[in-house]
Coordinates of all heavy atoms in Angstrom, one line a residue:
T1 N 12.8 -40.0 -39.8 CA 13.9 -39.6 -39.0 C 14.5 -40.9 -38.2 O 13.7 -41.6 -37.6 CB 13.4 -38.5 -37.9 OG1 12.9 -37.4 -38.7 CG2 14.6 -38.1 -37.2
D2 N 15.7 -41.2 -38.3 CA 16.4 -42.1 -37.6 C 16.7 -41.7 -36.2 O 17.6 -40.8 -36.1 CB 17.6 -42.8 -38.3 CG 18.2 -43.8 -37.7 OD1 17.6 -44.5 -36.9 OD2 19.4 -44.1 -37.9
I3 N 16.2 -42.3 -35.2 CA 16.4 -41.8 -33.8 C 17.4 -42.9 -33.2 O 17.0 -44.1 -33.1 CB 15.2 -41.5 -32.9 CG1 14.3 -40.7 -33.8 CG2 15.6 -41.1 -31.6 CD1 14.7 -39.2 -33.9
D4 N 18.5 -42.4 -32.6 CA 19.3 -43.4 -31.8 C 19.4 -43.2 -30.4 O 19.0 -41.9 -30.0 CB 20.7 -43.4 -32.4 CG 20.8 -44.0 -33.7 OD1 20.2 -45.0 -34.2 OD2 21.6 -43.4 -34.7
S5 N 19.8 -44.0 -29.5 CA 19.7 -43.8 -28.1 C 20.8 -42.7 -27.6 O 21.7 -42.4 -28.3 CB 20.0 -45.0 -27.4 OG 21.4 -45.5 -27.7
G6 N 20.4 -42.2 -26.4 CA 21.5 -41.4 -25.8 C 21.2 -39.9 -25.8 O 21.9 -39.1 -25.4
S7 N 20.1 -39.3 -26.7 CA 19.9 -37.9 -26.8 C 18.4 -37.7 -27.2 O 17.7 -38.7 -27.6 CB 20.8 -37.5 -27.9 OG 20.6 -38.0 -29.2
V8 N 18.0 -36.4 -26.9 CA 16.7 -36.0 -27.4 C 16.8 -35.5 -28.8 O 17.7 -34.6 -29.0 CB 16.1 -35.0 -26.3 CG1 14.8 -34.5 -26.9 CG2 16.0 -35.5 -25.1
E9 N 16.1 -36.0 -29.7 CA 16.1 -35.5 -31.1 C 14.8 -35.0 -31.5 O 13.8 -35.5 -31.2 CB 16.4 -36.7 -32.0 CG 17.9 -37.2 -31.7 CD 18.4 -38.2 -32.8 OE1 18.2 -37.8 -34.0 OE2 19.1 -39.1 -32.4
S10 N 14.8 -33.9 -32.4 CA 13.5 -33.4 -32.9 C 13.2 -34.1 -34.1 O 13.9 -34.4 -35.1 CB 13.9 -31.9 -33.3 OG 12.8 -31.4 -34.0
V11 N 11.9 -34.6 -34.1 CA 11.3 -35.4 -35.1 C 10.7 -34.4 -36.1 O 10.8 -34.6 -37.4 CB 10.3 -36.4 -34.6 CG1 9.6 -37.1 -35.7 CG2 10.9 -37.4 -33.7
L12 N 10.0 -33.4 -35.6 CA 9.3 -32.4 -36.5 C 9.2 -31.2 -35.8 O 8.8 -31.1 -34.5 CB 7.9 -33.0 -36.8 CG 7.1 -32.1 -38.0 CD1 7.8 -32.0 -39.3 CD2 5.8 -32.9 -38.1
S13 N 9.5 -30.0 -36.5 CA 9.4 -28.6 -35.8 C 8.6 -27.7 -36.8 O 8.9 -27.7 -38.0 CB 10.8 -28.1 -35.5 OG 10.8 -26.9 -34.9
V14 N 7.6 -27.0 -36.3 CA 6.9 -26.1 -37.0 C 6.6 -24.8 -36.2 O 6.6 -24.8 -35.0 CB 5.5 -26.8 -37.3 CG1 5.6 -27.8 -38.3 CG2 4.8 -27.1 -36.1
P15 N 6.4 -23.7 -37.0 CA 6.3 -22.4 -36.3 C 5.0 -22.3 -35.5 O 3.9 -22.8 -36.0 CB 6.5 -21.3 -37.4 CG 6.4 -22.0 -38.6 CD 6.5 -23.6 -38.3
T16 N 5.0 -21.7 -34.4 CA 3.8 -21.5 -33.6 C 3.0 -20.3 -33.9 O 1.7 -20.1 -33.5 CB 4.1 -21.6 -32.2 OG1 5.0 -20.3 -31.8 CG2 4.8 -22.6 -31.5
E17 N 3.6 -19.4 -34.7 CA 3.0 -18.1 -35.1 C 1.5 -18.3 -35.7 O 1.4 -19.2 -36.6 CB 3.8 -17.3 -36.1 CG 3.3 -15.9 -36.3 CD 4.2 -15.2 -37.3 OE1 5.3 -15.5 -37.4 OE2 3.7 -14.2 -37.9
S18 N 0.5 -17.6 -35.1 CA -0.9 -17.8 -35.7 C -1.5 -19.1 -35.3 O -2.6 -19.3 -35.8 CB -1.0 -17.6 -37.2 OG -0.4 -16.3 -37.7
Y19 N -0.9 -20.0 -34.5 CA -1.6 -21.1 -34.1 C -1.4 -21.4 -32.6 O -0.7 -20.8 -32.0 CB -0.8 -22.4 -34.8 CG -0.8 -22.4 -36.2 CD1 0.2 -22.0 -37.0 CD2 -2.1 -22.7 -36.9 CE1 0.2 -22.0 -38.4 CE2 -2.1 -22.7 -38.3 CZ -1.0 -22.3 -39.1 OH -1.1 -22.3 -40.4
N20 N -2.4 -22.3 -32.1 CA -2.4 -22.5 -30.6 C -2.4 -23.9 -30.3 O -2.3 -24.4 -29.1 CB -3.7 -21.9 -30.0 CG -3.8 -20.5 -30.3 OD1 -4.6 -19.9 -31.0 ND2 -3.1 -19.7 -29.4
A21 N -2.5 -24.7 -31.3 CA -2.4 -26.2 -31.1 C -1.8 -27.0 -32.3 O -1.9 -26.5 -33.3 CB -3.8 -26.7 -30.8
A22 N -1.3 -28.2 -32.0 CA -0.8 -29.1 -33.0 C -1.2 -30.5 -32.7 O -1.2 -30.9 -31.6 CB 0.8 -28.9 -33.1
F23 N -1.4 -31.3 -33.7 CA -1.7 -32.7 -33.7 C -0.6 -33.3 -34.5 O -0.6 -33.2 -35.7 CB -3.0 -33.0 -34.2 CG -4.1 -32.3 -33.5 CD1 -4.5 -31.0 -33.8 CD2 -4.8 -32.9 -32.5 CE1 -5.5 -30.3 -33.1 CE2 -5.9 -32.2 -31.8 CZ -6.2 -30.9 -32.0
F24 N 0.3 -34.0 -33.9 CA 1.5 -34.7 -34.5 C 0.9 -36.2 -34.7 O 1.0 -37.0 -33.7 CB 2.8 -34.7 -33.6 CG 3.3 -33.4 -33.5 CD1 3.1 -32.5 -32.3 CD2 4.1 -32.7 -34.5 CE1 3.6 -31.2 -32.3 CE2 4.7 -31.5 -34.4 CZ 4.4 -30.7 -33.2
D25 N 0.6 -36.5 -35.8 CA 0.3 -37.9 -36.2 C 1.7 -38.6 -36.5 O 2.5 -38.1 -37.2 CB -0.6 -38.0 -37.4 CG -2.0 -37.5 -37.1 OD1 -2.4 -37.5 -36.0 OD2 -2.5 -36.9 -38.0
Y26 N 2.0 -39.9 -36.0 CA 3.1 -40.5 -36.1 C 3.1 -42.1 -36.3 O 2.1 -42.5 -36.0 CB 4.2 -40.2 -34.9 CG 3.7 -40.8 -33.8 CD1 4.0 -42.2 -33.3 CD2 2.9 -40.1 -32.9 CE1 3.7 -42.8 -32.3 CE2 2.5 -40.8 -31.7 CZ 2.9 -42.1 -31.3 OH 2.4 -42.7 -30.2
V27 N 4.1 -42.6 -36.9 CA 4.3 -44.1 -36.8 C 5.8 -44.2 -36.3 O 6.7 -43.5 -36.8 CB 4.1 -44.7 -38.1 CG1 4.9 -44.2 -39.2 CG2 4.1 -46.2 -38.0
I28 N 6.0 -45.3 -35.5 CA 7.4 -45.7 -35.1 C 7.6 -47.1 -35.4 O 6.7 -47.9 -35.2 CB 7.3 -45.5 -33.4 CG1 7.2 -44.1 -33.0 CG2 8.6 -46.1 -32.9 CD1 7.0 -43.9 -31.5
V29 N 8.8 -47.3 -36.0 CA 9.2 -48.7 -36.5 C 10.7 -49.0 -36.1 O 11.4 -48.1 -36.3 CB 8.9 -48.8 -38.0 CG1 9.3 -50.2 -38.5 CG2 7.5 -48.5 -38.3
N30 N 10.8 -50.2 -35.7 CA 12.2 -50.7 -35.6 C 12.1 -52.3 -35.8 O 11.7 -53.0 -34.9 CB 12.8 -50.4 -34.1 CG 14.2 -50.8 -34.0 OD1 14.7 -51.6 -35.0 ND2 14.9 -50.2 -33.1
G31 N 12.5 -52.7 -36.8 CA 12.3 -54.1 -37.2 C 10.9 -54.5 -37.2 O 10.0 -54.0 -38.0
T32 N 10.4 -55.5 -36.2 CA 9.1 -55.9 -36.2 C 8.4 -55.3 -35.1 O 7.3 -55.7 -34.8 CB 9.2 -57.5 -36.0 OG1 9.7 -57.8 -34.7 CG2 9.7 -58.3 -37.2
N33 N 8.9 -54.2 -34.5 CA 8.3 -53.4 -33.5 C 7.8 -52.0 -34.1 O 8.4 -51.4 -34.8 CB 9.4 -53.1 -32.4 CG 9.9 -54.2 -31.8 OD1 9.3 -55.1 -31.4 ND2 11.3 -54.2 -32.0
S34 N 6.4 -51.8 -33.7 CA 5.8 -50.7 -34.3 C 4.7 -50.1 -33.6 O 3.9 -51.1 -32.9 CB 5.4 -50.8 -35.8 OG 4.6 -51.8 -35.9
R35 N 4.4 -48.8 -33.6 CA 3.1 -48.4 -33.0 C 2.7 -47.1 -33.8 O 3.6 -46.5 -34.4 CB 3.2 -48.0 -31.7 CG 3.8 -46.7 -31.1 CD 3.5 -46.5 -29.7 NE 4.1 -45.2 -29.2 CZ 5.2 -45.1 -28.5 NH1 5.7 -46.1 -28.0 NH2 5.6 -43.8 -28.1
A36 N 1.5 -46.6 -33.8 CA 1.0 -45.4 -34.4 C 0.2 -44.6 -33.4 O -0.4 -45.3 -32.5 CB 0.2 -45.8 -35.7
G37 N 0.3 -43.3 -33.5 CA -0.5 -42.6 -32.6 C -0.5 -41.0 -33.1 O -0.1 -40.7 -34.1
T38 N -0.9 -40.3 -31.9 CA -1.1 -38.8 -32.2 C -0.6 -38.2 -30.8 O -1.0 -38.6 -29.7 CB -2.5 -38.4 -32.4 OG1 -2.8 -38.9 -33.6 CG2 -2.5 -36.9 -32.6
V39 N 0.3 -37.2 -31.0 CA 0.7 -36.3 -29.8 C -0.1 -35.1 -30.0 O 0.2 -34.3 -31.1 CB 2.2 -36.1 -29.6 CG1 2.5 -35.0 -28.6 CG2 2.9 -37.3 -29.3
T40 N -0.9 -34.6 -29.0 CA -1.8 -33.4 -29.2 C -1.2 -32.4 -28.2 O -0.9 -32.7 -27.1 CB -3.3 -33.6 -28.7 OG1 -3.8 -34.6 -29.6 CG2 -4.1 -32.4 -28.9
A41 N -0.8 -31.2 -28.9 CA -0.3 -30.1 -28.0 C -0.9 -28.9 -28.0 O -1.6 -28.5 -29.1 CB 1.3 -29.9 -28.5
V42 N -1.0 -28.1 -27.0 CA -1.5 -26.7 -26.8 C -0.5 -25.9 -26.1 O 0.1 -26.5 -25.2 CB -2.9 -26.7 -26.2 CG1 -2.9 -27.2 -24.8 CG2 -3.7 -25.5 -26.4
W43 N -0.5 -24.6 -26.5 CA 0.6 -23.7 -25.9 C -0.2 -22.4 -25.7 O -1.0 -22.0 -26.4 CB 1.8 -23.7 -26.6 CG 1.6 -23.2 -28.1 CD1 1.6 -21.9 -28.7 CD2 1.4 -24.1 -29.2 NE1 1.5 -22.0 -30.1 CE2 1.2 -23.3 -30.3 CE3 1.3 -25.6 -29.3 CZ2 1.2 -23.9 -31.7 CZ3 1.1 -26.1 -30.6 CH2 1.0 -25.2 -31.8
N44 N 0.5 -21.6 -24.9 CA 0.1 -20.2 -24.6 C 1.4 -19.6 -24.0 O 1.8 -19.8 -23.0 CB -1.0 -20.1 -23.5 CG -1.6 -18.8 -23.3 OD1 -0.9 -17.9 -23.7 ND2 -2.6 -18.7 -22.5
G45 N 2.0 -18.8 -24.8 CA 3.2 -18.0 -24.4 C 4.3 -19.0 -24.2 O 4.7 -19.7 -25.1
S46 N 4.8 -19.2 -23.1 CA 5.9 -20.1 -22.8 C 5.4 -21.4 -22.1 O 6.4 -22.3 -21.8 CB 6.9 -19.5 -21.9 OG 6.4 -19.1 -20.7
S47 N 4.2 -21.7 -22.1 CA 3.7 -22.9 -21.5 C 3.2 -23.8 -22.6 O 2.6 -23.4 -23.5 CB 2.6 -22.8 -20.5 OG 3.1 -21.9 -19.4
V48 N 3.5 -25.2 -22.4 CA 3.0 -26.2 -23.4 C 2.4 -27.3 -22.6 O 2.9 -27.7 -21.6 CB 3.9 -26.6 -24.4 CG1 5.1 -27.4 -23.8 CG2 3.3 -27.5 -25.4
Q49 N 1.3 -27.9 -23.0 CA 0.7 -29.2 -22.4 C 0.6 -30.1 -23.6 O 0.1 -29.6 -24.8 CB -0.7 -28.8 -21.8 CG -0.6 -28.0 -20.5 CD 0.2 -28.7 -19.4 OE1 0.1 -30.0 -19.1 NE2 1.0 -28.1 -18.7
Y50 N 0.8 -31.3 -23.4 CA 0.6 -32.3 -24.5 C 0.0 -33.7 -23.8 O 0.2 -33.9 -22.6 CB 1.8 -32.6 -25.1 CG 3.0 -33.1 -24.4 CD1 3.2 -34.6 -24.5 CD2 3.7 -32.4 -23.7 CE1 4.1 -35.1 -23.7 CE2 4.9 -32.8 -23.0 CZ 5.0 -34.3 -22.9 OH 6.0 -34.8 -22.2
N51 N -0.6 -34.5 -24.9 CA -1.1 -35.7 -24.5 C -0.8 -36.7 -25.6 O -0.8 -36.3 -26.9 CB -2.5 -35.7 -24.2 CG -3.1 -37.0 -23.8 OD1 -2.7 -37.6 -22.8 ND2 -4.1 -37.5 -24.5
E52 N -0.5 -37.9 -25.4 CA -0.2 -38.9 -26.5 C -1.4 -40.1 -26.4 O -1.6 -40.6 -25.4 CB 1.1 -39.5 -26.2 CG 1.4 -40.5 -27.4 CD 2.9 -41.1 -27.2 OE1 3.6 -40.7 -26.2 OE2 3.3 -41.9 -28.1
V53 N -1.9 -40.4 -27.4 CA -2.9 -41.5 -27.7 C -2.2 -42.4 -28.8 O -1.8 -41.8 -29.8 CB -4.3 -40.9 -28.1 CG1 -5.1 -42.0 -28.2 CG2 -4.7 -40.0 -27.0
Y54 N -2.2 -43.7 -28.4 CA -1.6 -44.5 -29.4 C -2.1 -45.9 -29.5 O -2.8 -46.4 -28.6 CB 0.0 -44.6 -29.2 CG 0.3 -45.0 -27.8 CD1 0.4 -46.3 -27.3 CD2 0.5 -43.9 -26.9 CE1 0.7 -46.6 -26.0 CE2 1.0 -44.2 -25.6 CZ 1.0 -45.5 -25.2 OH 1.4 -45.8 -23.9
T55 N -1.8 -46.7 -30.6 CA -2.2 -48.2 -30.7 C -1.5 -49.0 -29.6 O -0.5 -48.6 -29.1 CB -2.0 -48.5 -32.0 OG1 -0.5 -48.5 -32.3 CG2 -2.6 -47.7 -33.1
S56 N -2.0 -50.2 -29.5 CA -1.2 -51.2 -28.9 C 0.1 -51.5 -29.6 O 0.0 -51.4 -30.9 CB -2.0 -52.4 -28.7 OG -3.1 -52.3 -27.9
D57 N 1.1 -51.8 -28.9 CA 2.4 -52.1 -29.8 C 2.1 -53.3 -30.6 O 1.5 -54.3 -30.1 CB 3.4 -52.4 -28.7 CG 4.0 -51.1 -28.1 OD1 3.6 -50.1 -28.6 OD2 4.9 -51.2 -27.2
I58 N 2.9 -53.5 -31.8 CA 3.2 -54.7 -32.4 C 4.6 -54.9 -32.0 O 5.4 -54.1 -32.2 CB 2.9 -54.6 -34.0 CG1 1.6 -54.4 -34.2 CG2 3.6 -55.9 -34.4 CD1 1.3 -54.2 -35.7
G59 N 4.9 -55.9 -31.2 CA 6.3 -56.2 -30.6 C 6.3 -55.2 -29.3 O 5.5 -55.3 -28.6
D60 N 7.5 -54.4 -29.2 CA 7.7 -53.7 -28.1 C 8.4 -52.3 -28.5 O 9.5 -52.3 -29.1 CB 8.6 -54.5 -27.1 CG 8.8 -53.6 -25.9 OD1 8.4 -52.6 -25.7 OD2 9.6 -54.2 -25.0
T61 N 7.6 -51.2 -28.3 CA 8.2 -49.8 -28.6 C 8.5 -49.0 -27.2 O 8.5 -47.9 -27.3 CB 7.2 -49.1 -29.5 OG1 5.9 -48.8 -28.7 CG2 7.0 -49.8 -30.7
N62 N 8.5 -49.7 -26.1 CA 8.7 -49.0 -24.9 C 10.0 -48.2 -24.8 O 10.1 -47.2 -23.8 CB 8.7 -50.0 -23.7 CG 7.2 -50.6 -23.4 OD1 6.3 -49.8 -23.6 ND2 7.2 -51.8 -23.0
D63 N 10.9 -48.5 -25.6 CA 12.2 -47.8 -25.7 C 12.0 -46.4 -26.3 O 13.0 -45.7 -26.4 CB 13.2 -48.6 -26.6 CG 13.9 -49.6 -25.7 OD1 13.5 -49.7 -24.4 OD2 14.8 -50.4 -26.2
V64 N 10.9 -45.9 -26.7 CA 10.6 -44.6 -27.4 C 9.7 -43.7 -26.6 O 8.5 -44.3 -26.1 CB 10.1 -44.9 -28.8 CG1 9.9 -43.4 -29.5 CG2 11.1 -45.7 -29.7
V65 N 10.2 -42.6 -26.2 CA 9.3 -41.6 -25.4 C 9.2 -40.4 -26.3 O 10.3 -39.8 -26.7 CB 10.0 -41.3 -24.0 CG1 9.0 -40.2 -23.3 CG2 10.1 -42.5 -23.2
L66 N 8.0 -40.0 -26.5 CA 7.7 -38.8 -27.4 C 7.2 -37.7 -26.3 O 6.4 -37.9 -25.5 CB 6.6 -39.0 -28.3 CG 6.9 -40.0 -29.5 CD1 5.7 -40.3 -30.4 CD2 8.3 -39.5 -30.2
E67 N 7.6 -36.4 -26.8 CA 7.0 -35.2 -26.1 C 6.8 -33.9 -27.0 O 7.6 -34.0 -28.0 CB 7.8 -34.8 -24.9 CG 9.2 -34.5 -25.0 CD 10.0 -34.3 -23.8 OE1 9.4 -34.2 -22.7 OE2 11.1 -34.2 -23.9
A68 N 6.1 -33.0 -26.8 CA 6.0 -31.8 -27.4 C 6.6 -30.8 -26.6 O 6.3 -30.6 -25.4 CB 4.6 -31.5 -27.7
Q69 N 7.6 -29.8 -27.2 CA 8.2 -28.9 -26.4 C 8.2 -27.6 -27.3 O 8.4 -27.7 -28.4 CB 9.7 -29.4 -26.1 CG 9.8 -30.4 -25.1 CD 9.3 -30.0 -23.7 OE1 9.4 -28.8 -23.3 NE2 8.6 -30.9 -23.0
L70 N 8.3 -26.5 -26.6 CA 8.5 -25.2 -27.3 C 9.9 -24.9 -27.4 O 10.6 -25.2 -26.5 CB 7.8 -24.1 -26.5 CG 6.4 -24.0 -26.6 CD1 5.8 -22.9 -25.5 CD2 5.8 -23.8 -28.0
S71 N 10.4 -24.6 -28.7 CA 11.8 -24.2 -28.8 C 11.7 -22.9 -29.7 O 11.6 -22.9 -30.8 CB 12.4 -25.4 -29.7 OG 13.7 -25.1 -29.9
G72 N 12.0 -21.8 -28.9 CA 12.0 -20.6 -29.6 C 10.5 -20.2 -30.0 O 9.6 -20.3 -29.2
A73 N 10.4 -20.0 -31.3 CA 9.0 -19.7 -31.9 C 8.5 -20.9 -32.6 O 7.6 -20.8 -33.4 CB 9.3 -18.6 -33.0
N74 N 9.0 -22.0 -32.1 CA 8.6 -23.4 -32.9 C 8.0 -24.4 -31.7 O 8.4 -24.2 -30.6 CB 9.6 -24.0 -33.5 CG 10.0 -23.3 -34.7 OD1 9.3 -22.6 -35.5 ND2 11.4 -23.4 -35.0
I75 N 7.0 -25.1 -32.1 CA 6.7 -26.4 -31.4 C 7.3 -27.5 -32.0 O 7.4 -27.7 -33.3 CB 5.2 -26.4 -31.3 CG1 4.7 -27.6 -30.3 CG2 4.6 -26.7 -32.6 CD1 4.7 -27.3 -28.9
E76 N 8.0 -28.3 -31.1 CA 8.7 -29.5 -31.7 C 8.2 -30.8 -31.1 O 7.8 -31.0 -30.0 CB 10.1 -29.5 -31.2 CG 10.9 -28.5 -32.0 CD 12.5 -28.5 -31.7 OE1 12.8 -29.5 -30.8 OE2 13.2 -27.9 -32.3
L77 N 8.0 -32.0 -32.0 CA 7.7 -33.2 -31.5 C 9.2 -33.8 -31.2 O 10.0 -33.9 -32.2 CB 7.1 -34.1 -32.5 CG 6.8 -35.5 -32.3 CD1 6.0 -35.6 -31.1 CD2 6.2 -36.3 -33.4
Q78 N 9.5 -34.1 -30.0 CA 10.8 -34.6 -29.7 C 10.7 -36.1 -29.3 O 9.8 -36.6 -28.6 CB 11.4 -33.9 -28.6 CG 11.7 -32.4 -28.9 CD 12.2 -31.7 -27.9 OE1 12.2 -32.1 -26.7 NE2 12.9 -30.4 -28.1
A79 N 11.8 -36.8 -29.6 CA 11.8 -38.3 -29.2 C 13.2 -38.6 -28.5 O 14.0 -38.1 -28.7 CB 11.9 -39.1 -30.6
T80 N 12.9 -39.4 -27.5 CA 14.1 -39.9 -26.6 C 13.9 -41.5 -26.8 O 12.9 -42.0 -26.5 CB 14.1 -39.5 -25.2 OG1 14.0 -38.2 -25.1 CG2 15.2 -40.0 -24.4
T81 N 15.0 -42.1 -27.2 CA 15.1 -43.6 -27.2 C 16.2 -44.1 -26.3 O 17.2 -43.5 -26.0 CB 15.3 -44.1 -28.7 OG1 16.6 -43.6 -29.1 CG2 14.2 -43.5 -29.5
F82 N 16.0 -45.5 -25.9 CA 16.9 -46.1 -25.2 C 17.6 -47.3 -25.9 O 18.2 -48.1 -25.3 CB 16.1 -46.6 -23.8 CG 15.5 -45.5 -23.1 CD1 14.2 -45.2 -23.1 CD2 16.3 -44.7 -22.3 CE1 13.5 -44.2 -22.5 CE2 15.8 -43.6 -21.7 CZ 14.4 -43.3 -21.7
S83 N 17.4 -47.3 -27.2 CA 18.0 -48.3 -28.0 C 18.1 -47.5 -29.4 O 17.5 -46.6 -29.7 CB 17.3 -49.6 -28.1 OG 15.9 -49.5 -28.6
D84 N 18.9 -48.2 -30.4 CA 19.2 -47.5 -31.6 C 18.2 -48.0 -32.7 O 17.5 -48.9 -32.5 CB 20.6 -47.9 -32.1 CG 21.7 -47.2 -31.3 OD1 21.4 -46.1 -30.6 OD2 22.8 -47.7 -31.3
N85 N 18.3 -47.1 -33.8 CA 17.7 -47.5 -35.1 C 16.1 -47.4 -35.1 O 15.5 -48.2 -35.9 CB 18.1 -48.8 -35.7 CG 19.6 -48.8 -35.8 OD1 20.2 -47.9 -36.2 ND2 20.3 -49.9 -35.5
W86 N 15.5 -46.5 -34.4 CA 14.1 -46.3 -34.4 C 13.8 -45.3 -35.6 O 14.4 -44.2 -35.7 CB 13.7 -45.7 -33.1 CG 13.5 -46.8 -32.0 CD1 14.5 -47.0 -31.1 CD2 12.6 -47.8 -31.7 NE1 14.2 -48.1 -30.3 CE2 13.0 -48.5 -30.7 CE3 11.4 -48.1 -32.4 CZ2 12.4 -49.6 -30.2 CZ3 10.6 -49.2 -31.9 CH2 11.1 -49.9 -30.8
E87 N 13.0 -45.5 -36.5 CA 12.4 -44.8 -37.5 C 11.1 -44.2 -37.0 O 10.1 -44.8 -36.6 CB 12.3 -45.6 -38.8 CG 11.7 -44.6 -39.9 CD 11.5 -45.4 -41.2 OE1 12.0 -46.6 -41.4 OE2 10.8 -44.8 -42.1
I88 N 11.0 -42.7 -37.1 CA 9.8 -42.1 -36.7 C 9.4 -41.2 -37.9 O 10.2 -40.4 -38.2 CB 9.9 -41.4 -35.4 CG1 10.5 -42.2 -34.2 CG2 8.7 -40.6 -35.0 CD1 10.7 -41.5 -32.9
R89 N 8.2 -41.4 -38.3 CA 7.6 -40.6 -39.3 C 6.4 -39.8 -38.8 O 5.6 -40.3 -38.1 CB 7.2 -41.3 -40.6 CG 8.4 -41.8 -41.4 CD 8.1 -42.8 -42.5 NE 7.9 -44.1 -41.9 CZ 7.2 -45.1 -42.5 NH1 6.8 -44.9 -43.7 NH2 7.2 -46.3 -42.0
S90 N 6.2 -38.4 -39.2 CA 5.2 -37.7 -38.5 C 4.8 -36.6 -39.4 O 5.5 -36.2 -40.4 CB 5.7 -36.9 -37.2 OG 4.7 -36.2 -36.7
L91 N 3.4 -36.4 -39.4 CA 2.6 -35.2 -40.1 C 2.1 -34.5 -38.9 O 1.8 -35.0 -37.8 CB 1.7 -35.9 -41.0 CG 2.0 -36.7 -42.1 CD1 0.8 -37.4 -42.8 CD2 2.8 -36.0 -43.2
V92 N 1.8 -33.1 -39.3 CA 1.3 -32.3 -38.3 C 0.2 -31.5 -38.8 O 0.0 -31.1 -40.1 CB 2.3 -31.3 -37.8 CG1 2.8 -30.3 -38.8 CG2 1.8 -30.5 -36.6
R93 N -0.9 -31.4 -38.0 CA -2.1 -30.5 -38.3 C -2.0 -29.4 -37.4 O -2.0 -29.8 -36.0 CB -3.2 -31.4 -38.2 CG -3.4 -32.5 -39.2 CD -4.6 -33.5 -38.9 NE -4.3 -34.3 -37.8 CZ -5.2 -34.6 -36.9 NH1 -6.3 -34.2 -36.9 NH2 -4.8 -35.5 -35.9
M94 N -2.1 -28.3 -37.8 CA -2.0 -26.9 -36.8 C -3.4 -26.3 -36.7 O -4.0 -26.2 -37.8 CB -1.1 -26.0 -37.5 CG 0.4 -26.5 -37.6 SD 1.2 -26.9 -36.0 CE 1.5 -25.2 -35.5
L95 N -3.8 -25.8 -35.5 CA -5.1 -25.2 -35.4 C -4.7 -23.8 -34.6 O -3.9 -23.8 -33.8 CB -6.1 -25.9 -34.7 CG -6.6 -27.2 -35.3 CD1 -7.6 -27.8 -34.3 CD2 -7.2 -26.8 -36.6

């Protein structure tokens, strides 16, 4: 997913039905800047809590902020960036 500055974009969205947690593994790249990590999310009804654990940056990825949000019957990994052309790839594990 190519994420550009100025808006919140969904990187990955999956249904929450039958699940209570998601582990979004990701890699972020823009030129020579990159990091990898996991956003862990848990939800109950309309509440969600999440935490991000990641590698040290190669270069600088401070322009990318990730969060997990409920959107209808889905949990989404969302990205906000403060500069253009960030590539974010993600896989999800559901429990």
